[in-house]
């Protein structure tokens, strides 16, 4: 679907400073290594709410507006801190957007963040709001010993949309979603760790949805892979996005900036938005970007952007993705267990 | 009542909201209805600049109730760039790396949770201004 009059005015990320090497997790379970190098781990006082607030403040800095201008706050996550009580209200209050603001939390496994971005785009494009904030952030958990433990990571990104092209970072050009009922991954209420239907995780889930969303948005635009300078796919590991890129005909260069899972892990609702932020940290005006998320359950959002002149003076107004990745502190497996609440403190 | 007390404090906790005396210009945090400097009751609320430097610090090893899970943790008096001294936890820093005069920035973090069923309280902490230059 073609999008008119919607622009990215600000973006920002937050990635916790702690890292654990896959090697340190693997050693604990008697194997040699995991599917990525290392992943970002939230500290004792961090959660999806604090990551979302930090990313939102960075997005506001780049947008150059006060929080009170924000009229919509949509938060996408699968690690909300309350089962009932919105995180979006905490974010809205922290940035000063309350009380004249529409706010809600979205859940769609790893694609809740891009769904929030789509809805914010719709709000500004349809003139229902001047400024809309979408945030995707997670502090995802894998059961100790489960394969997800190697990749489930913490981080997030925030995007501010508006109708004004002045000083915009990018235009939103096209959106497409591909969604089916597929039981590849789920978590019941009150359960700490998710379950996955192993036969569904690869082909019928990730690959089918990401591929269909990418093909359909390109069809709708009359475009092909060579028309994009950069592409980011959801990244539950490093292999899946590499394979889907190759199958679709994208090069290693095109996925270069967007693919961060090897160094920070899978930040779930944050994954595609953080990869997109790293592209914006590096892209030149006029370049075309394709972002394709994936959320289990299952669906993919594809969004196409064109980078605009504003990117060059806006990007230095908040910390880059690389600066967040660089300020890392390694922790061992015992510290990781404590940080992630996997030790029974008797409370 | 804890819930309503925490709720009333949310502006200062989330946004470092203080007061500025409209007569002498003195900035107060926490907010003050009467200027401690000139006694004026003519004030405006103001979100303070989220930056400052470490004025003094120490390590808390015997924490109060609901803070146990984060101990040991450093606390500090931070001199805000807007003037007031604020008592705060430091985060994202090893105790050995803290120095008097160290530049710090405000972040919103989990202050405490009232057990597994209770509210989670968020508020300011300060961390080294490190994200900017990436070291
Ligand atoms: Zn005064």
């Amino acid at each position: 679907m073609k999008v008119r009059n919607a622009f990215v005015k600000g973006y920002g990320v937050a990635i916790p400073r702690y890292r654990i090497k896959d090697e340190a997790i693997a050693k604990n379970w008697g194997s040699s290594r995991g599917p990525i190098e290392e992943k970002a781990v939230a500290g004792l006082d961090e959660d999806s709410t604090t990551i979302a607030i930090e990313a939102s403040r960075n997005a506001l800095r780049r947008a150059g507006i006060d929080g009170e201008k924000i009229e919509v706050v949509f938060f996408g996550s699968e690690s909300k801190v309350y089962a009932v009580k919105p995180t979006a209200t905490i974010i809205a209050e922290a940035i000063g957007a309350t009380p004249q603001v529409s706010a809600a939390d979205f859940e769609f496994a790893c694609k809740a963040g891009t769904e929030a971005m789509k809805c914010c785009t719709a709000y500004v494009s349809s003139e229902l709001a001047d400024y809309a904030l979408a945030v995707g952030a997670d502090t995802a958990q894998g059961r100790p010993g489960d394969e997800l433990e190697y990749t489930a990571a913490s981080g997030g990104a925030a995007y501010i949309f508006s109708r004004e092209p002045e000083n915009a970072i990018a235009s939103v050009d096209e959106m497409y979603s591909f969604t089916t009922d597929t039981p590849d991954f789920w978590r019941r209420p009150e359960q700490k760790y998710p379950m996955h239907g192993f036969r569904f995780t690869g082909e019928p889930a990730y690959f089918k949805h990401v591929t269909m969303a990418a093909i359909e948005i390109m069809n709708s635009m009359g475009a092909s892979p060579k028309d994009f300078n950069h592409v980011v796919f959801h990244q539950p590991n490093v292999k899946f996005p590499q394979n889907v890129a190759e199958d679709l005909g994208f090069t290693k260069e095109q996925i270069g900036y967007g693919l961060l899972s090897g160094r920070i892990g899978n930040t779930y609702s944050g994954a595609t938005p953080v990869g997109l932020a790293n592209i914006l940290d590096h892209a030149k005006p006029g370049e075309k970007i394709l972002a394709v998320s994936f959320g289990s359950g299952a669906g993919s959002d594809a969004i196409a952007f064109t980078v605009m002149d504003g990117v060059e003076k806006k990007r230095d107004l908040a910390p880059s993705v690389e600066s967040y990745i660089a300020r890392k502190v390694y922790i061992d497996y015992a510290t990781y267990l404590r940080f992630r609440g996997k030790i029974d403190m008797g409370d | 009542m804890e819930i309503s007390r925490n709720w009333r404090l949310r502006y200062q906790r989330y946004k470092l909201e203080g007061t500025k005396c409209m007569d002498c210009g003195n900035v107060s945090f926490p907010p003050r209805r009467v200027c401690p400097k000139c006694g004026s009751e003519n004030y405006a609320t103001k979100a303070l600049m989220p930056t400052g430097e470490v004025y003094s610090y120490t390590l808390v090893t015997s924490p109060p109730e609901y803070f146990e899970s984060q101990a040991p943790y450093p606390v500090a008096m931070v001199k805000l760039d807007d003037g007031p001294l604020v008592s705060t936890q430091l985060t994202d820093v090893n105790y050995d790396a803290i120095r008097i005069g160290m530049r710090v920035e405000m972040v919103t973090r989990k202050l405490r949770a009232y057990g597994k069923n209770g509210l989670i309280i968020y508020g300011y902490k300060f961390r080294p201004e490190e994200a900017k230059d990436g070291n």
Side-chain angles (χ1 to χ4, degrees), chain A residues 45 47 54 57 93 338, chain B residues 10 69 91 108 120 122 127:
Chain A
D45 59 1
D47 56 28
E54 185 171 336
R57 288 189 176 132
E93 193 87 84
R338 184 185 175 209
Chain B
R10 71 196 188 285
S69 66
T91 189
T108 302
I120 302 163
Y122 295 98
R127 72 170 175 202

Side-chain angles (χ1 to χ4, degrees), chain A residues 53-135:
Chain A
I53 291 171
E54 185 171 336
S56 300
R57 288 189 176 132
N58 285 332
L60 281 170
R61 275 181 205 139
R62 287 200 174 97
I65 59 168
D66 280 339
E68 64 184 7
K69 290 239 166 92
I70 300 287
E71 294 166 308
V72 179
V73 175
F74 288 152
F75 173 63
S77 183
E78 64 120 76
S79 44
K80 275 162 52 67
V81 296
Y82 293 102
V84 178
K85 193 206 168 305
T87 298
T89 57
I90 310 174
I91 300 168
E93 193 87 84
I95 64 168
T98 48
Q100 289 200 52
V101 60
S102 186
D105 295 351
F106 291 12
E107 189 277 312
F108 195 145
C110 293
K111 88 161 186 90
T114 53
E115 189 62 59
M117 290 168 69
K118 285 189 65 184
C119 291
C120 284
T121 298
Y123 255 90
V124 299
S125 173
S126 61
E127 304 190 16
L128 286 171
D130 288 337
Y131 290 98
L133 170 71
V135 194

Side-chain angles (χ1 to χ4, degrees), chain A residues 278-290:
Chain A
N278 194 45
I279 291 173
L280 293 172
D281 281 348
H282 294 91
K284 296 182 190 66
E287 290 190 333
K288 305 274 182 195
I289 302 171
L290 177 61

